[in-house]
Amino acid sequence: MPLEPGSRSVPEFHAKLQKSSRIVALCGAGLSVGSGLPTFRTPGGLWTNEQADELASREKFETDPDLVWLFYSHRRHMSLQVAPNPGHHALAELARARPEFLCLTQNVDGLSQRAGHPKEQVRTLHGSLFDLKCNDAKCGYIQRDNFDDPLCPALAPASQDLEGGLVSMPLLDPKQQVARIPASELLHCPKCGTLLRPAVVRFKEELDSEMLEEIKAWIDEKPVDLVLVVGTAAEVWPAAGFVMQARKQGAALAVVNTDTENLGSARDLKLGDFIFVGDSAELLPELLAPLINST
């Protein structure tokens, strides 16, 4: 029987998956919920706090680099206190089973990398909390996969567990006084001596144009068979544009999310598309089972 728009049939999805060679996944914060990390744009989430918005800006780093580093060090610590969940591992196994699978993650938490996802098959669209780069763009120095916690002695206060999670950081409460750190005690570039900064995309900052062009070229190289949209509303550009680009080529779409009200570029499901409602940590191992259980 033909599929209804937004089919929830796992056997039908398995049939499509097994016939798919070129697969692209767009992953968001919902992928890491099963690990214990919050989604930041829900009511009460991190990005609903004005202080957090400011700390994630280029301007704040120029004036108060110590506060910015404390903010990101708290986030690093929180990510290191949790482990990749079965959803991360399922995607990593899919990458090994399908050499033409490309994962585009909007997450900066490093969990896909820690799950063993092959580096050549994952693109961190918004950077990583565990990469450091020189604040002088002309220098070009970058250090990958630094999982030290704390990063340096001066940032040790950020490597403490918070009962209320990230949103309880003293930094986010303008009424609380935070001990300041001299710039001399922060991390500096070994190449030129300038301050190092977290290698994440800041608010109002452009994504890596070279990486974006590479992804576009990969999708255009030959038709994509299947697009997975996991734990994201697929509303933020340019990431959402990759979903549309692949769909225009005729790719089938499979949405895996707890929220099906706001689907962004993953809306307008058609015959042959799929939607699965729930935690991706539970759903992905089941959905990808035909490929990952045979590797």
Side-chain angles (χ1 to χ4, degrees), residues 1-7 16 247 250-253 268-274:
M1 295 178 61
L3 293 175
E4 294 298 321
S7 170
K16 175 62 181 177
R247 293 191 78 188
L253 174 67
D268 300 327
L269 299 179
K270 304 173 183 177
L271 288 172
D273 291 336
F274 303 85

Side-chain angles (χ1 to χ4, degrees), residues 160-232:
Q160 298 176 8
D161 296 333
L162 300 170
E163 289 186 8
L166 280 172
V167 293
S168 68
M169 279 190 282
L171 282 168
L172 303 184
D173 184 352
K175 297 179 181 179
Q176 293 197 44
Q177 294 294 318
V178 177
R180 304 302 297 269
I181 303 170
S184 60
E185 296 181 22
L186 296 174
L187 299 163
H188 290 74
C189 175
K191 184 176 177 182
C192 73
T194 302
L195 281 173
L196 290 177
R197 53 158 285 200
V200 296
V201 177
R202 301 178 288 199
F203 285 150
K204 300 180 181 179
E205 192 171 52
E206 297 290 331
L207 274 65
D208 185 329
S209 59
E210 184 176 335
M211 176 178 62
L212 297 180
E213 289 302 318
E214 176 199 353
I215 295 169
K216 290 177 184 177
W218 185 90
I219 294 175
D220 280 339
E221 183 180 355
K222 48 185 175 179
V224 173
D225 300 307
L226 178 64
V227 177
L228 306 174
V229 174
V230 181
T232 176

Side-chain angles (χ1 to χ4, degrees), residues 45-61 64 67-72 75 166-178 180 203:
L46 189 64
W47 299 134
T48 63
N49 183 291
E50 292 182 5
Q51 299 293 120
D53 287 358
E54 184 181 6
L55 288 163
S57 69
R58 179 185 63 82
E59 293 80 8
K60 190 65 172 177
F61 189 83
D64 300 294
L67 299 184
V68 172
W69 262 121
L70 285 168
F71 172 68
Y72 281 102
R75 296 181 61 191
L166 280 172
V167 293
S168 68
M169 279 190 282
L171 282 168
L172 303 184
D173 184 352
K175 297 179 181 179
Q176 293 197 44
Q177 294 294 318
V178 177
R180 304 302 297 269
F203 285 150

Side-chain angles (χ1 to χ4, degrees), residues 7-291:
S7 170
R8 298 171 189 246
S9 168
V10 173
E12 292 286 1
F13 176 78
H14 284 170
K16 175 62 181 177
L17 177 68
Q18 290 174 301
K19 293 186 292 184
S20 298
S21 297
R22 282 175 61 81
I23 304 171
V24 61
L26 176 64
C27 300
L31 174 62
S32 297
V33 168
S35 293
L37 293 181
T39 56
F40 293 155
R41 296 192 180 277
T42 51
L46 189 64
W47 299 134
T48 63
N49 183 291
E50 292 182 5
Q51 299 293 120
D53 287 358
E54 184 181 6
L55 288 163
S57 69
R58 179 185 63 82
E59 293 80 8
K60 190 65 172 177
F61 189 83
E62 299 302 325
T63 59
D64 300 294
D66 58 325
L67 299 184
V68 172
W69 262 121
L70 285 168
F71 172 68
Y72 281 102
S73 294
H74 272 302
R75 296 181 61 191
R76 285 170 55 94
H77 176 72
M78 190 168 185
S79 295
L80 289 172
Q81 298 311 297
V82 301
N85 65 57
H88 294 105
H89 287 292
L91 290 171
E93 291 181 46
L94 177 62
R96 289 186 281 272
R98 284 290 187 266
E100 290 191 286
F101 167 52
L102 183 64
C103 178
L104 313 177
T105 180
Q106 299 171 98
N107 299 334
V108 297
D109 54 36
L111 291 176
S112 291
Q113 298 91 313
R114 288 168 57 198
H117 201 116
K119 290 185 177 182
E120 64 275 11
Q121 288 176 261
V122 62
R123 299 292 180 272
T124 51
L125 299 177
H126 296 167
S128 170
L129 291 170
F130 302 99
D131 293 346
L132 318 177
K133 67 180 183 180
C134 183
N135 195 44
D136 184 350
K138 296 179 182 178
C139 173
Y141 174 81
I142 186 164
Q143 181 186 19
R144 304 281 186 191
D145 299 331
N146 181 328
F147 295 102
D148 292 346
D149 185 33
L151 272 169
C152 63
L155 292 173
S159 297
Q160 298 176 8
D161 296 333
L162 300 170
E163 289 186 8
L166 280 172
V167 293
S168 68
M169 279 190 282
L171 282 168
L172 303 184
D173 184 352
K175 297 179 181 179
Q176 293 197 44
Q177 294 294 318
V178 177
R180 304 302 297 269
I181 303 170
S184 60
E185 296 181 22
L186 296 174
L187 299 163
H188 290 74
C189 175
K191 184 176 177 182
C192 73
T194 302
L195 281 173
L196 290 177
R197 53 158 285 200
V200 296
V201 177
R202 301 178 288 199
F203 285 150
K204 300 180 181 179
E205 192 171 52
E206 297 290 331
L207 274 65
D208 185 329
S209 59
E210 184 176 335
M211 176 178 62
L212 297 180
E213 289 302 318
E214 176 199 353
I215 295 169
K216 290 177 184 177
W218 185 90
I219 294 175
D220 280 339
E221 183 180 355
K222 48 185 175 179
V224 173
D225 300 307
L226 178 64
V227 177
L228 306 174
V229 174
V230 181
T232 176
E235 293 179 318
V236 179
W237 288 75
F242 296 132
V243 176
M244 297 184 67
Q245 182 185 356
R247 293 191 78 188
K248 287 179 179 178
Q249 295 181 350
L253 174 67
V255 175
V256 182
N257 205 349
T258 55
D259 178 13
T260 58
E261 297 298 321
N262 303 300
L263 294 179
S265 62
R267 67 171 68 91
D268 300 327
L269 299 179
K270 304 173 183 177
L271 288 172
D273 291 336
F274 303 85
I275 185 165
F276 301 99
V277 182
D279 185 350
S280 58
E282 299 176 1
L283 289 173
L284 285 176
E286 178 186 7
L287 294 174
L288 304 180
L291 296 185

